[in-house]
């Protein structure tokens, strides 16, 4: 998994364990795609300070996953649901099949 | 949800965030069904000390869920998978249906 996607997913899972400032910086960098210099101006902190905060926040997120492994477990579940969904796709278009697909589709589309 | 089940599930999710001693006490009390006095003897700590450790550990688990809500999200997913599984049960016994049920069954049986 590429790092940007991985951090975004970890942030969805464990972001609530970060401080407001740590969250701000993760969002500006990973979700809003700002550079360190731009974030430095936006949050009135030195570029080095922003960099340190970013690395520290990433480390916290990785540490939670290393201990809890909940992202991995959820991804495993979601992949199985996707596999089931694809098999249903090959089973035609009856109302029964569609109902099951609808339920599984809700899971596939859920963000954490 | 009754409290014993709730704590057991929270423990499966967030137990890795507790210390070894906190984990021991949660396991002895909730999984092995020992009394406070029995745990007190087993871990060589006063009954009051065991009680305090237990309450503190429960509070940590509840706090993680209050912030992250991952147990709730996981239960929501699992309930949807169960709903899909039951609908498949009514769709007869073809190899295609059975294959999808097998995949969903793996999710239903996973513990965290």
């Amino acid at each position: 998994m590429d790092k940007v996607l991985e951090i975004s997913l970890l942030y969805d899972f464990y972001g609530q364990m970060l401080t407001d400032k740590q969250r701000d910086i993760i969002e500006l960098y990973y979700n809003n795609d700002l550079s360190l210099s731009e974030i430095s101006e936006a949050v009135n902190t030195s570029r080095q300070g922003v960099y340190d905060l970013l690395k520290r926040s990433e480390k916290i997120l990785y540490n939670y996953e290393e201990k809890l492994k909940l992202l991995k477990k959820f991804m495993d579940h979601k992949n199985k649901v996707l596999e089931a969904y694809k098999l249903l796709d090959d089973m035609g278009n009856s109302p029964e099949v569609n109902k099951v697909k609808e339920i599984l589709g809700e899971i596939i589309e859920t963000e954490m």
Side-chain angles (χ1 to χ4, degrees), chain A residues 40-101:
Chain A
S40 165
E41 279 190 34
V43 300
N44 207 12
T45 302
S46 70
R47 192 179 176 289
Q48 182 66 42
V50 169
Y51 179 81
D52 292 344
L53 264 164
L54 191 63
K55 291 299 134 186
R56 168 97 187 107
S57 308
E58 291 172 4
K59 195 168 172 218
I60 293 170
L61 296 176
Y62 280 122
N63 282 348
Y64 275 108
E65 179 61 9
E66 197 181 321
K67 284 202 169 182
L68 302 180
K69 297 185 176 55
L70 293 173
L71 173 59
K72 185 189 175 308
K73 287 170 186 169
F74 273 84
M75 296 297 284
D76 288 347
H77 276 200
K78 220 161 178 169
N79 285 336
K80 282 193 179 142
V81 171
L82 264 174
E83 191 187 345
Y85 191 94
K86 282 178 192 154
L87 289 174
L88 289 163
D89 250 351
D90 298 332
M91 284 169 63
N93 217 352
S94 71
E96 290 81 7
V97 168
N98 286 343
K99 179 67 193 157
V100 179
K101 281 170 67 178

